[in-house]
Every structure is written in structure tokens, then in C-alpha cells.
Amino acid sequence: MKDGTMSMDVDVGLIWLETHQMIKFTSSIKWEKSQKIMSNKFRLSSGGQINRTERISFKFNGKTFYGFKGDTLASALLANGVHLIGRSFKYHRPRGIFSSGAEETNALVQVIKDKGKTDPNIRATQIEIFEGFNAESQNCWPTVNFDLGAINNLFSPIIPAGFYYKTFMWPANLWGGYEHFIRKAAGLGKSPTENDPDIYDHKYYHCDVLIVGSGPAGLSAAKVAVKTGKKILLVDERPSFGGNLAFADEELSKINDLKPSEWIEETCTELQNNKNIKILNRTSVAAYHNYNYLIMMQNLSDHLSEKEKKGKIRQRLWKVRAKKVILATGSIERPMVFDCNDRPGIMLSSAVRKYINYYGVKCGNNVVIFTSNDDAYETAISLHNKGVKIEAIVDIREQSSGDLPKKCNELGIKILWKNTIIYTEGYKKINNVHVMKLSNNNSCIIGNKFKINCDLLCVSGGYTPAVHLFTQSGGKLTFNEGKYYFQPKTTSPNQISVGSCNGTFGLKKIIEETQTKTNEFLNLNHNDQSNITESKSGNFENIWLLPSDKVSGKTKPFVDYQNDTTANDIKLALREGYKSIEHVKRYTTTGMATDQGKIGNMHALGIVSEITNTKMGELGTTTFRPPYTPLTFGAVVGRNVKQFFDIVRKTPIHEWHEKNGAKFEDVGQWKRAWYYPNKNETMYEAVQRESKAARNGAGILDASTLGKIDIQGSDASEFLNRVYTNAWSKLAIGKCRYGLMLNDDGMVYDDGVTTRLGDNHYIMTTTTGGAASVMSKLEDFLQTEWPELNVYLTSVTDHFATVSVCGSHSKKILEKVVKNINFSNQNFPHMSFKEGLVDKIKCRVMRISFTGELSYEINVQSNYGQVVWEKCMEAGKEFKITPYGTEAMHLLRAEKGFIIAGQETDGTITPVDLQMDWIISKKKYDFIGKRSLYRSDTMRENRKQLVGLLTNDPKEILEEGAQIVEEVKSKPPMDMIGHVTSSYYSPNLNKSIALAVVKNGKKLKGKKLFVPMSDKTIEVTVSDTVFLDKEGDRLNA
Amino acid sequence: MLEIKCPYCGKRSQNEFSYGGDAKIKRPELGKEISDKEWDNFVYYRDNPKGKHSELWHHISGCRQWFKVSRDTASHEIFKTAKLDEDL
């Protein structure tokens, strides 16, 4: 009860604090603005690897600070004493900088650039500052110091895991109301609202050995790998090399009598002088796919000032195929899970070590260290030696046999063995910790509670191997029972893991093991003897969830900081019946934030394992998915933006269409002239005019996009017999024939006219959109099924431009343009072909028609396309020749009832359904899809069949896709018996016409049907599919 | 992304290829009279094995040859590739 009261007091105090600040809000803003540039009062006077000669000023939340070249935003803010960076996602709890790298879970900021352009969710621990850098806190309003959303923290007992699922499920029709508020609360940063002005790049790269990570393992592996003389690539996500060794205490370990930083420098220099190796910094491997295919993002200019950035590529996406991969991705320190382990000023011990040793920044003045292992003692020694007071080291272990605790003892640092922290205080910055003794079996706490005042708490729960890339590549893990982490179990011939990502710890062991393994992996024998001195490490103990003096409902032991998931949420999920770790993850959202659980996932697994009494190895991990760290959309897209987004294919006559005001339509990748509006003409008006002209006078169409396949070989006729439904052997040379191609299932696949140019030579046309897949399909049959056929296919779509001239005057125009052909009906009848000359340009002329009108297609070598087009225009002037686009072409063919494959057909329509029985050869022994036409389903009488529809009101135009019913009911559902496939107002017939597929349509001619629309029902009558010139007189005119 | 060894061109990335289905499906002889069931088996039914699978692939953005691939559908390991007239 007493504890309960205390916890309430804290919450009430918290709200008081926020409210109090509400009053002071206006004045505080003024106060913040009046502040001069802050001093680096937490920066040591010397030391670290920042460039102290280059001072940089930057802004955070509107306030100006300064740091040095080489600082991250995090190190620069810490140097200025700023810990509070943002608010947590759900409870809006104040959060500070927790780590020093890619694993950061709390310190996400919005980076502001010019003209409102902005990057959300940037990790303050990774982004490097530059002159003029500007960032703001996220997920808080109005400011990070005073955030109204913090009221959620008070309500936290009633918003547990799964709260949204439970609450907003009922009543369903209120969702619309909730949605607005939930969407508003969701997400952390703000998306940019303008186009990204930056340049991004893609690069393919092939190498013999890729080494990921440049810590002691990565560098040692590289030193061996360069001896192969092959192409080596070494990448690291950090700006500088050396991994965690780069911020090791300079006095505690030595390699060949060199300090760690000196050894790193010497090794890097040696490598950089070797021309076999390419070394990339600021390059993070996002994904590791099959067959050593890795996606990496290289940051090229995010660390540069606006001026330096100008004209430079921002990020480059590398697509690397490596023969062999060496993973040296290191390990990530984990926190401790206890009540209120999330306050600003609570940081990973290794991060604090990096800030003091690498950046020369002390994260606090009075430090408590909370640990389960010896590694944190190195942090203690580094801090102590640089004048920071260590108030105490709280260690959950009984004792340690290692060198470092002994050394701390000698330095007079207080160590509280077998103790645990049970609570912390300090709303926006930690100010004390509550400590109690652990019972023998670590299950509860005993003795008296006492407080230690501090302004910084370093936590260290041991290290977790970074196995993300290993598992992405398909590697399996095993749980190391003694060391409490998952490590690689399986091996593959073209990949190894070395160093701490493989579960190997200790500098000497890492370097020696890496050398041996790399030599073996690359079939070498180059063992350098290194003389390594390091401290002996003691045992490691692990408690996933530390015991508390409170009932669990009153505590907030955070597991996933960013998503505000506590150990209690995980317990709740288990109580509510979730057993699979993947389900627990989704229900509680643990590990689902932008850090993907790099910090807290192991604890979530550990807690589930303990409560369900399942061994960690059996429980397994959640799946590690790419990317390891978030990628920008810019990097993913690269240069494939705007006009480069997709391939655009233009016909050789495109320029003319453009000049003459054509509107274009996308057909596959092609730009096709859609219609050519005159001044002030609507699309409808233009199409009506074009259609009328094409029928009654002369029309001209660019048909260059139709697929063309040149077919040659002694078995060409037999091949066509097999792929088309009709017979080809008897087609005379110089004649054309329309063909329908089916799939094996008997459904219409593609159609087009094929012309016999010679005994063993045909040219096939396909639909514009189907050209590529028809070609592949024909190759498939020739190569896999009928290799005995002597047939050669060549795609010649782009080789020819096709100018189609139609209408009653077309013959006269052709006679003017192609002078050496006799165009008489007798010499050149419908469905035949002649070779001719347009001036000196060789051409193939086919008399074929898709409009039902007298029509000729002139095929010429592509680059003469526009010349021939212009000649036809010139010759047709006296006949008022009118260019028409695809829309008028569609209208004209609909008047004739000609189908478009893909519009009248949809993969469920047979030629019989199209009432095109005439095209199915009864004599041929077989063709693709023939057998399917005799299945019970395809022979069924009440299949959907192609019919014509006439609206009772001839002015009423049906909507394509509209459903057709036999019987209208007052409201749905009604039995739908088909749908409209094509619909136009025909200017030549002066009435609305439509094609449709309707159940049992063949038998419904003359029957009234209905097309119910949202505002009315349209009455229609089933008609023949051919609306105009049933006898074909116009074709043969 | 897989790396597939085209028997004509050598190792290339998967995005140069397109998948063409089960290599073991035998097309009924042309013109042969067969039952609905036999034909349906050929057109519609395919095994979906976990493990070793014989497949057809098309080097569609390369030499445009079809060839055979023996691949593990779970691990994506490619055991062998072969020309159509060779054994897998």
C-alpha cells in the first residue's frame, strides 16, 4: 500500500510539473530565446578524436550550441549538458540519449533543412553536426520540456498492451471518429511535404571478399584478406574505423605495445596503402540476401555543411555481390530491466565510455554504474581517471575474479556486490537511484532500501552479438546457455562470422581467432603474431527482469523504450494467451519501433522464456528482417525518378504527334497518340470527329507500337499451325490472315494479323501490350516443347514504323504515295501484301483493316516513319485526311464488333465465348489450348458470351465495367449476369453501342436487360456484335 | 536475390531471369486423345514441394534461352543448372 501511494505521488507530481510549466510556458520560450550560445561545460579540456580546431555552431530546438568537427549531435548536446531529447511514443515520457550508435532507441530527432525540407527519426547518436545544422525534438507538443501528451503517462494503467485492439473494436461504426485522433497520435516525426531535392545514386559492385565491420575483428580479417591479392571491400557504418576498440580505455589494453587508437590508425594506414582493398566508411549494410548479395547505403554528404553539399550525391545504394563474406558486425550492449529504467541520464555503459574517450565528453559528474559484468568497470576506470566521480558500482554478482574490479577497488571506487537498483527518481533527468540487496537466488530483494544521488546512471547487462545480417542470410542461431545470448550455429562455405558477432569476446581471443578463421576461410597461411595485453575478465551473470519491491502493476520496467513496452505488457500478453514470440511481439509492439529491438529484444525473449518456462533455444528469436537501419526512400529509388522512373517507348512518329497537339495514352511502356483535339475541343468531341473522318473520308493512325515478330524456318507454317487456332499451311505467299492465340487452358491470350512473306517466312503482329510475353511464350514452346521444329524468331517491333491509312479515299492516297504498286482490287485485294517504294524508301504494304474500312498499313524502316507519315498527310490533304488516335480506333473497331484482347477478354473467355467459332480449325490435329475447348466447363452453354448491347435511349452511353442484371430489385444483391466491356457513342450510327459478356448471351438476342447504376437503371437490348456493315462491303470497296 | 548459372552465359543475378515453372511436367503428345482428368492434371495441377525442385528458367534479359535448374525451394540453394537436352 505504501508503495502504491508513493507511485501515485510520483504521477501526480509529474502532472503538477507539466501543469506548472504550462503557466511558465510563454516566459520559458522567451527565456530559451534570450540564451546566448551555451558553453561546452561537459567537454574535457583535452583528449578524444574530435577536431578541436574546427568549432561548429548548430541549433537544437531553436537554441544555438557549439560542438566540434567529428561530433555527433548526441556528443555535442551532451557536451552542453543536454540530455532530454524527445518524448516516448505512447506515454510521452521524457527520454534522453541512451547509446552511441545505430542501436539508439530514444534520441530520435527531426533534422530541418532549407525550405521546409526535413528528415524525421534521425538518430542523434549517428548524425554528425556541421556548421548550420538544425534539429528538433519529436513527438512532443508544444515543446520537449513541456509536453501535453505526457498526460498519457497518468493514464498508463488503463492503456496497456493491446489497448487499441480492445478499445476501438466496438462499436465498429465509431471507428471513423476514433481514427482521426489515433492517426494523429501515430508516428514519430513529420514527413517532408516537398519534393526531395537531393541526388541519390545506385552502384553495382562485385568483389572477392566483403568484410562488414571494422572493429578489431574486421581489421584483423582485412589484414589477412589483402594477402590473397584479390578484390576486397571493407565497410563500416561509422565515420571512423576501429569499432568499439576506438573508444577503449587507452591505458588498459595494448596491441604490439600500441594503444588501441594507435593500432587502429596503423592498421588502417597499412590497409589504405594496399590497392587490393577498397574501404568505405559511413556505409551501413541494410540487407543480406541469398548468394552473398548485400544492399548497403553509403552516406556521402549528410555530414557536410549546406555549402559543401552542393552538387554532391547525398547517399549511394551499393548492390554488392561478393564471392565470400566475412561478418564482423560486433555486438550491442544491453540494458538492465527495472522500474523507471528509462529516464534521461540513464545510458549504456559502453556509450558513456565512448563519449568520454572518443569525444572527450563526460555525460555526468556523479555517476552510478549498474552492471552484471566486468566490461562496465572499464567505463568506471575511464571516467575515474578523467576526474568524474563514481558514486558507486552496483553489481548484481556475488563477486568477480576479473582484473578490472580489483583495479576499481584499488582506486577506491565503492562496489556494491549482489545489489540491484529497484527504482530511479528525476523526471527530466535522473537524480537518484534506489538500491537493495539481492537474495541468494536473485528472485527477490532483501534488506533495507537506500538512495544514492547521481546525475548519470550507466547500465550494462552484457553484450548481444549483432547477428542480424547473419540470420538475414539464412543462418541459424543457437542459444549459449552460459553466456545468455544467441550466436551463429550454422556455417556456410562462402561466409564466416568473426569476433563478438560470433560470440567471441576479449581482444586477444578476437584477434587470434579472426586470424585463424580468415586464413582457413581464404585458404591462406599468414598468421601475424600479435602481442596483446588486456585485462582478465570475470564471470557474467544475467537477470532478465530484476526483482522489485513493488507489485508489478505499479512499476515501469521498460523493455522497448521507443514503443513504451514494459515487462508488464509482455506478462499481460502471456496471461491473455499469446504464446508464440512473434505474436507477443505484435501484440505488445516490443521490438517494432524504428530501432527494431536492437536494445530490448533479448530481454523480451528472456522474460517470455522465464514466465512460460521455455528454454530460450526452444523459444527462438523473432525474425530479423532488412533493413538493419532504416534506408531513405531517396536511396532506394536512386536516379529512377520523374522521367527516369520507368522506360518510356516512343514511336518514330512521336515528334509529329507532339507538334500537332496529340494527347497521349500509356499502353505498356509506349506513349500512343490518344486523340488530337482541335482548339477548345473536348476529348469526346475530338474522338467523334476523328471517327467520322476515318470512316467517311480518310484517317491516318500510327500503328508502330504493335508487336512484330519475324518468323523464319522450314517449319514456320507448322509452328503457326500449332500456336494459332486456325490453319496456316495453305496461306498463299503475299496473303495476310488474322489469328487468335490461346493459352493451354483454352482462353484467348493474344491476337493479330500474320502475313506470309515467303515460303518459310512470316511476319506476325501482336497486341501492343502483349508483344514481349508472346515472344517469350513462342520461345518457350520452340525451346522446351518442340525443339525439333526448324523455326527462328526475331522481335522486330522497333525495326518498323507502321502508318495506317483508312477510309474511302485511302486507296487514292496510297496510289499517290506508293507509286510502284497497282492498287486495283484485283491486284491488291483485302488481306494481302505487296512490297513497294515510297520514293526510294522500301516499304511493305498490307491491305488489312481494324476499322472495317478500306485500309492500308505501310511498314517502313523505323527512321523513315515520320517522312512516310508526312508524305501521306501531304497526299491526303485534298481528302481532308485526319489523324486519329487510339480512342477513335477503339470506337471504330467496336462499331464492327472487333474484339480487343484484354478488353473483351480477361483470361476466362474462349473463342467460342466470343462467338468466333469460325476461327477454330476443325481439321487441325492440335493447337495450343485445343483440348481445353472440349472440357465440360468450356463447352457449357450458359458461359458468359460476347454480345452487343443497344441502350433503349440511343443517347445514353453505358459505363465500361458496369454490371448487367436480368431482373432489377429495389436494392442489392441482384444476380449479375455479365458486364459491359466496351462502350461508345457511335457518330457513324448516331446511337450508343456497347459490347458486353453476358451469361448465355448467344441465346438472349433481342432480350431486354438492365444496367443498374448508382442513380438510375439503364434499359438495354441484346443485339448482334457487329453494328455496322455486316456484309463487309466497305472493306472490299 | 539468387545467382543463377545460365548454361550459356555463366553466373548472373536473378533479375536477368524469369521463372518458367516445373520442369518435370510432361506435355501430352500433340493430337493424342486423352481424358479430361489427364488434361486437367497437365494444365492446372502442380506440386508445391518444400525442398528439391526441378524448374525451368528463361534468361529473358540475356541470351533468351530456356534451361533447367535444380533448386531447393526452402533454402534457395541451387544444386545444378543444365541445358534442356542435358540431365539435371
Side-chain angles (χ1 to χ4, degrees), chain A residues 722-891:
Chain A
R722 294 182 189 183
V723 299
Y724 278 133
T725 61
N726 45 351
W728 291 80
S729 311
K730 286 184 187 144
L731 183 70
I733 294 169
K735 295 287 176 195
C736 316
R737 183 166 285 172
Y738 173 77
L740 208 53
M741 209 179 278
L742 311 185
N743 269 326
D744 271 326
D745 62 6
M747 304 304 157
V748 173
Y749 177 65
D750 203 80
D751 67 345
V753 170
T754 294
T755 304
R756 190 165 195 173
L757 301 174
D759 216 10
N760 299 324
H761 190 187
Y762 291 84
I763 183 141
M764 171 189 277
T765 58
T766 73
T767 57
T768 298
S773 62
V774 168
M775 181 73 186
S776 287
K777 186 183 158 91
L778 298 184
E779 282 174 333
D780 182 2
F781 275 96
L782 269 183
Q783 292 177 32
T784 67
E785 301 296 348
W786 310 318
E788 71 280 6
L789 294 186
N790 178 30
V791 176
Y792 301 89
L793 305 173
T794 313
S795 167
V796 293
T797 306
D798 298 283
H799 301 201
F800 293 97
T802 307
V803 178
S804 172
V805 182
C806 87
S808 45
H809 298 300
S810 56
K811 191 182 283 181
K812 287 173 227 157
I813 296 167
L814 265 280
E815 277 168 346
K816 285 172 78 178
V817 177
V818 190
K819 299 221 170 76
N820 63 337
I821 294 178
N822 171 1
F823 283 93
S824 71
N825 270 348
Q826 204 179 1
N827 184 56
F828 198 173
H830 182 52
M831 295 308 268
S832 60
F833 143 84
K834 297 273 177 237
E835 274 176 339
L837 286 171
V838 180
D839 289 345
K840 285 178 185 165
I841 308 164
K842 273 193 204 162
C843 64
R844 288 171 177 168
V845 183
M846 280 95 167
R847 181 170 167 186
I848 52 176
S849 175
F850 191 39
T851 58
E853 218 50 51
L854 174 65
S855 171
Y856 298 89
E857 282 187 6
I858 312 171
N859 287 278
V860 290
Q861 194 178 302
S862 277
N863 46 343
Y864 295 121
Q866 191 155 324
V867 177
V868 172
W869 174 278
E870 279 164 356
K871 280 190 186 300
C872 291
M873 286 301 295
E874 183 58 37
K877 222 174 205 172
E878 58 177 305
F879 309 105
K880 295 208 172 83
I881 190 167
T882 304
Y884 66 99
T886 50
E887 194 63 22
M889 171 184 84
H890 288 170
L891 189 160

Side-chain angles (χ1 to χ4, degrees), chain A residues 37-38 40 54-60 63-69 71 73 76 80 129-135 305:
Chain A
I37 291 174
M38 309 284 286
N40 269 229
E54 213 175 315
R55 215 176 88 146
I56 284 168
S57 75
F58 68 98
K59 272 187 181 170
F60 182 63
K63 221 189 277 186
T64 303
F65 297 93
Y66 80 84
F68 294 110
K69 186 87 189 163
D71 262 328
L73 175 62
N80 286 281
I129 55 162
F130 49 82
E131 190 60 40
F133 179 87
N134 186 6
S305 70

Side-chain angles (χ1 to χ4, degrees), chain A residues 60-131:
Chain A
F60 182 63
N61 285 336
K63 221 189 277 186
T64 303
F65 297 93
Y66 80 84
F68 294 110
K69 186 87 189 163
D71 262 328
T72 60
L73 175 62
S75 66
L77 286 174
L78 288 167
N80 286 281
V82 178
H83 276 259
L84 177 61
I85 301 294
R87 294 283 179 148
S88 68
F89 181 56
K90 192 165 152 191
Y91 303 135
H92 290 249
R93 284 171 70 95
R95 291 284 167 78
I97 295 156
F98 191 71
S99 74
S100 61
E103 68 273 30
E104 180 59 33
T105 181
N106 286 339
L108 301 182
V109 296
Q110 185 97 30
V111 175
I112 319 282
K113 297 176 190 168
D114 280 2
K115 298 176 221 150
K117 287 167 195 96
T118 181
D119 277 327
N121 302 340
I122 299 298
R123 290 166 299 282
T125 51
Q126 284 192 299
I127 185 87
E128 296 161 75
I129 55 162
F130 49 82
E131 190 60 40

Side-chain angles (χ1 to χ4, degrees), chain A residues 946-967:
Chain A
L946 188 73
V947 295
L949 292 182
L950 292 171
T951 48
N952 287 8
D953 171 4
K955 293 261 174 291
E956 183 89 65
I957 307 166
L958 294 170
E959 230 174 79
E960 287 177 0
Q963 295 294 325
I964 300 159
V965 302
E966 230 172 337
E967 190 189 343

Side-chain angles (χ1 to χ4, degrees), chain A residues 882-935:
Chain A
T882 304
Y884 66 99
T886 50
E887 194 63 22
M889 171 184 84
H890 288 170
L891 189 160
L892 293 165
R893 63 86 211 180
E895 290 178 336
K896 280 290 289 181
F898 292 151
I899 63 144
I900 292 181
Q903 184 153 344
E904 271 63 55
T905 70
D906 59 2
T908 67
I909 304 284
T910 71
V912 184
D913 298 337
L914 293 173
Q915 308 212 38
M916 289 170 78
D917 309 49
W918 54 269
I919 205 167
I920 304 166
S921 164
K922 304 286 184 298
K923 288 180 198 149
K924 281 198 309 189
Y925 71 115
D926 211 345
F927 56 83
I928 298 171
K930 181 179 182 189
R931 179 62 183 82
S932 283
L933 299 178
Y934 299 95
R935 293 171 69 244

